[in-house]
Amino acid sequence: MDWSPGSNPAATVVTRRLSRHPDDVWEHLTGDEGFEDWMGNGSTIEAQPGGRLIAADPESGQPKIGQVLEVEPGRRLHWVWRPLGENDPTTEVIVTIEPDPDEPPCRTLITVTEQPSTLGVALASTEPLSVVSSLSPAC
Amino acid sequence: MAAAGELNHAQAVFWALGDTTRHRIFELLIERGSATATVLAPEFGISRQAVAKHLAQLAEAGLATSDRIGRETVYQPSSSGLDDLVAWADQARALWNRRLDRLA
C-alpha cells in the first residue's frame, strides 16, 4: 500500500530528537535485546517482512502481537499490530530513523506514524479530513 | 478499556471513509448540509439502495445523523465520528511519546 508518514489525514505522527547514534536506535528497534529493552520484558521482533512481533508494551498496558510488513535496514520499519485478545486488525506503525541535521548533541531524528489499519480495505482517497499534527521536543 | 473503545471507533471511521463513494457522499453531506438517498443516487449512478446503505454506514461510524421525514430518511453530516478519530490520535500520540522516552 502507498503510505508514508504525513500522507494520511488520520495518522498520528510523533517526531523526536534523540541523543543517540542512529545505528544504536535501529538496534533498539530491531535487535532482540534492544527491542525487549524498549517494548518491555518478553517483547520480540523478527525484523524482516512477514516477521512476527510481540510487544509487552507497558506504556499502554495492552500487550500486542503483530507482523512486520517492510524493513529498510537502518532507516525504516513498518509493522501492523493489535492488542492481544482482540479480533480487530488494529493499527499500522511506521518508524523512520535519520541522522539529525542539527547534530550535536541530538544525533537521531525518529518519526513514528500510526494509524488505524486499512489492511484488507481499499483506501482510495486521502482527502484531508482531520489533520493531527506532530510535535518534536528536543533531545 | 477506554483505549480499545476509541481505537474501534477510529477504525470504524477510517473504514467508513476508506471507500471512495462513501467518502464522496460524506463530503457532499458537508457541502449541502443534508441529503437523501433518492437525491444522491442519480449523481453517483448507483441504486438508491446502494446509496442508502452507504449513508447508513456513515451514520454507524458517527459521521452522519438521520431524521425520518415522511417516507424519506434525511441525513446530516456529524463530526462525532471524526472526534473519535481525533481522540484516538491524541491518545496514540501520548503513548508514543512515552515509548520514545524509553529510547532517550
Side-chain angles (χ1 to χ4, degrees), chain A residues 6-30:
Chain A
S7 71
N8 196 295
T12 288
V13 184
V14 177
T15 302
R16 177 76 65 93
R17 290 183 160 82
L18 301 171
S19 57
R20 302 172 74 145
H21 191 278
D23 292 347
D24 186 25
V25 177
W26 182 255
E27 177 62 23
H28 263 80
L29 299 180
T30 59

Side-chain angles (χ1 to χ4, degrees), chain A residues 17 98-104 106-109:
Chain A
R17 290 183 160 82
E98 52 200 319
D100 190 326
D102 299 330
E103 66 172 337
C106 304
R107 294 197 286 175
T108 299
L109 198 59

Side-chain angles (χ1 to χ4, degrees), chain A residues 8 10 12 14 16 20 28 37-38 40 57-60 62 79 86 88 90-91 93 112 114-116 118 121-125 127 129 132-133 135, chain B residues 1 3-4 7-8 10-11 14-15 17-20 23 26-27 30 82 85-86 88-90 92-104:
Chain A
N8 196 295
T12 288
V14 177
R16 177 76 65 93
R20 302 172 74 145
H28 263 80
D37 187 24
W38 186 38
D57 198 28
E59 267 68 32
S60 71
Q62 286 185 304
W79 74 73
E86 292 191 20
D88 296 315
T90 311
T91 61
V93 176
V112 180
E114 183 171 25
Q115 71 167 34
T118 55
V121 179
L123 177 65
S125 173
E127 291 293 315
L129 288 158
V132 182
S133 64
L135 52 97
Chain B
M1 178 172 249
L7 182 57
N8 289 337
Q11 282 175 334
F14 208 77
W15 178 83
L17 294 174
D19 177 272
T20 317
H23 196 148
F26 178 61
E27 287 174 338
I30 292 172
L82 294 178
L85 201 58
V86 170
W88 169 78
D90 284 347
R93 192 167 56 238
L95 281 173
W96 276 109
N97 271 308
R98 297 218 298 270
R99 292 184 192 118
L100 289 175
D101 285 343
R102 290 167 74 102
L103 285 182

Side-chain angles (χ1 to χ4, degrees), chain B residues 7-64:
Chain B
L7 182 57
N8 289 337
H9 285 154
Q11 282 175 334
V13 174
F14 208 77
W15 178 83
L17 294 174
D19 177 272
T20 317
T21 303
R22 206 155 43 236
H23 196 148
R24 184 70 192 126
I25 289 173
F26 178 61
E27 287 174 338
L28 276 181
L29 282 183
I30 292 172
E31 278 171 37
R32 299 180 187 178
S34 68
T36 66
T38 308
V39 169
L40 291 177
E43 300 182 39
F44 286 89
I46 56 178
S47 70
R48 198 198 70 83
Q49 287 80 3
V51 175
K53 192 172 178 189
H54 283 311
L55 286 165
Q57 286 165 336
L58 286 172
E60 216 167 294
L63 293 166

Side-chain angles (χ1 to χ4, degrees), chain A residues 24-71:
Chain A
D24 186 25
V25 177
W26 182 255
E27 177 62 23
H28 263 80
L29 299 180
T30 59
D32 285 340
E33 279 181 39
F35 192 74
E36 186 167 25
D37 187 24
W38 186 38
M39 282 288 180
N41 286 341
S43 300
T44 59
I45 187 170
E46 292 165 21
Q48 59 188 29
R52 187 176 164 83
L53 179 155
I54 298 171
D57 198 28
E59 267 68 32
S60 71
Q62 286 185 304
K64 295 177 175 63
I65 54 171
Q67 192 173 36
V68 175
L69 300 173
E70 296 173 284
V71 181

